[in-house]
Amino acid sequence: MKILFFGDVFGKPGREALRHAIPQWKKEFEPNVIIANGENVSHGAGISDATIKHLLASGVHIITGGNHSFEGKNASILLNDASLPLLRPANMPSALPGRGYAFFGIKGNELRITNKPDDADLLVINLIGQVHMRYQYDSPFRVVDEILSRFSPSATHPPFPVIVDWHAEATSEKIAMGWHLDGRVAAVLGTHSHTPTADERILPKGTAYISDIGMVGPHYSIIGQEISANLERFLTQIPKKVDVAQAPPYEINAVLLETDPRSHKVVQLRRLRNIISDNLSHDN
Ligand SMILES: [Fe+2]
Ligand SMILES: [Fe+2]
């Protein structure tokens, strides 16, 4: 199975750049599954009906989340919509709307959510870190153990690829999760920092790992936000609302994974990055 995973899609520039990138990369790489982190898809923070629809219409099959998942007017309604392939981190308070992991079945080009692990072709788990985060989430290490123990009690790899969107800030916490899950999941893919890291690798027991995939968003920005206003916050230390940087060029960061049909481990891992200079807002 080939899986194309885009990091945090940031605001309109991210959405447009993603819409531009997917047809090209689909043709080039022929992925079976396309996943994108959507926590910043609506104005740089949160989700909305229109922006979730935009991602799905662009060809994204599964949308993961992070600390901004609950921002946006209808975020809770969207997260509670069982028909949407939308996740939020599993180690947030369990009473919150939405789900932290989901099974998917794949038939041809179609991918559907399934509640039956026996029918699953893929499991996607979304986790959030505890280091340098505003809230004290449950331990992602213990929560992921608990999830995996339900489907692979012997601590072996489950009978389908397991992809973890690991939404965290500190690279130390990130690589710790890589080692924690090595051999038990297909991939631990970092999101949240919006900055791609060059440390992609397949760990000794077969788990693909990268500290951060990087965002899909405006290249001339401070992690997606407009430069001068964001910089002013650092200079003055006065809180200020900062907009999405709109101007091109835009950067597109993703990873491409290929899993073995028998072992369900990753046999190929490739980091993808493209910077496009066109203004894409009039693209079809
Ligand atoms: Fe983000
Ligand atoms: Fe985040």
Side-chain angles (χ1 to χ4, degrees), residues 8-10 37 39-40 44 67-68 167 191-194 223:
D8 304 47
V9 180
F10 200 90
N37 185 292
E39 71 147 4
N40 305 106
N67 50 305
H68 293 298
H167 197 81
T191 59
H192 176 68
S193 83
H194 298 194
I223 63 168

Side-chain angles (χ1 to χ4, degrees), residues 207-222:
T207 294
Y209 173 82
I210 187 168
S211 290
D212 210 292
I213 299 170
M215 69 172 172
V216 181
H219 186 53
Y220 292 159
S221 72
I222 295 177

Side-chain angles (χ1 to χ4, degrees), residues 3-20:
I3 300 160
L4 180 60
F5 198 129
F6 293 90
D8 304 47
V9 180
F10 200 90
K12 191 177 178 193
R15 299 195 304 271
E16 296 296 333
L18 190 74
R19 191 171 63 161
H20 175 86

Side-chain angles (χ1 to χ4, degrees), residues 22-268:
I22 285 179
Q24 289 181 1
W25 284 357
K26 259 175 103 166
K27 208 170 159 190
E28 194 174 343
F29 304 119
E30 300 179 325
N32 306 98
V33 181
I34 300 177
I35 308 175
N37 185 292
E39 71 147 4
N40 305 106
V41 74
S42 183
H43 304 294
I47 55 176
S48 68
D49 298 82
T51 53
I52 290 297
K53 272 188 197 146
H54 188 289
L55 290 188
L56 297 175
S58 297
V60 173
H61 297 116
I62 302 165
I63 302 165
T64 53
N67 50 305
H68 293 298
S69 281
F70 285 88
E71 294 167 42
K73 207 166 63 181
N74 292 325
S76 296
I77 294 168
L78 289 165
L79 288 162
N80 260 345
D81 183 341
S83 69
L84 284 177
L86 181 62
L87 301 181
R88 49 86 172 157
N91 54 317
M92 285 179 158
S94 55
L96 289 182
R99 55 186 154 199
Y101 64 91
F103 295 98
F104 297 89
I106 302 168
K107 268 201 186 125
N109 289 332
E110 243 179 70
L111 187 135
R112 60 189 163 73
I113 299 173
T114 173
N115 293 320
K116 295 180 194 157
D118 291 346
D119 287 349
D121 296 306
L122 176 71
L123 167 62
V124 180
I125 304 173
N126 195 179
L127 299 170
I128 194 164
Q130 294 178 303
V131 178
H132 301 315
M133 285 289 180
R134 182 174 297 181
Y135 299 111
Q136 299 300 309
Y137 304 109
D138 291 345
S139 165
F141 296 87
R142 289 194 288 270
V143 168
V144 76
D145 281 351
E146 203 271 316
I147 294 168
L148 290 173
S149 72
R150 283 182 228 164
F151 312 110
S152 56
S154 61
T156 54
H157 200 289
F160 34 70
V162 181
I163 306 295
V164 178
D165 176 337
W166 176 212
H167 197 81
E169 179 76 25
T171 48
S172 53
E173 189 184 20
K174 284 175 146 175
I175 185 60
M177 185 63 82
W179 290 114
H180 183 60
L181 294 180
D182 185 21
R184 297 196 287 155
V185 303
V188 175
L189 304 174
T191 59
H192 176 68
S193 83
H194 298 194
T195 303
T197 56
D199 62 341
E200 74 276 13
R201 58 182 136 160
I202 296 177
L203 297 168
K205 291 179 186 165
T207 294
Y209 173 82
I210 187 168
S211 290
D212 210 292
I213 299 170
M215 69 172 172
V216 181
H219 186 53
Y220 292 159
S221 72
I222 295 177
I223 63 168
Q225 294 181 328
E226 200 271 316
I227 297 168
S228 60
N230 191 302
L231 194 52
E232 197 181 313
R233 288 200 303 206
F234 283 97
L235 291 166
T236 65
Q237 303 185 344
I238 294 171
K240 181 183 171 84
K241 199 177 172 315
V242 181
D243 283 333
V244 173
Q246 294 292 345
Y250 304 133
E251 59 179 76
I252 300 158
N253 294 295
V255 291
L256 181 71
L257 311 166
E258 186 167 357
T259 60
D260 181 87
R262 270 190 288 256
S263 71
H264 307 293
K265 291 184 180 182
V266 169
V267 288
Q268 205 176 52

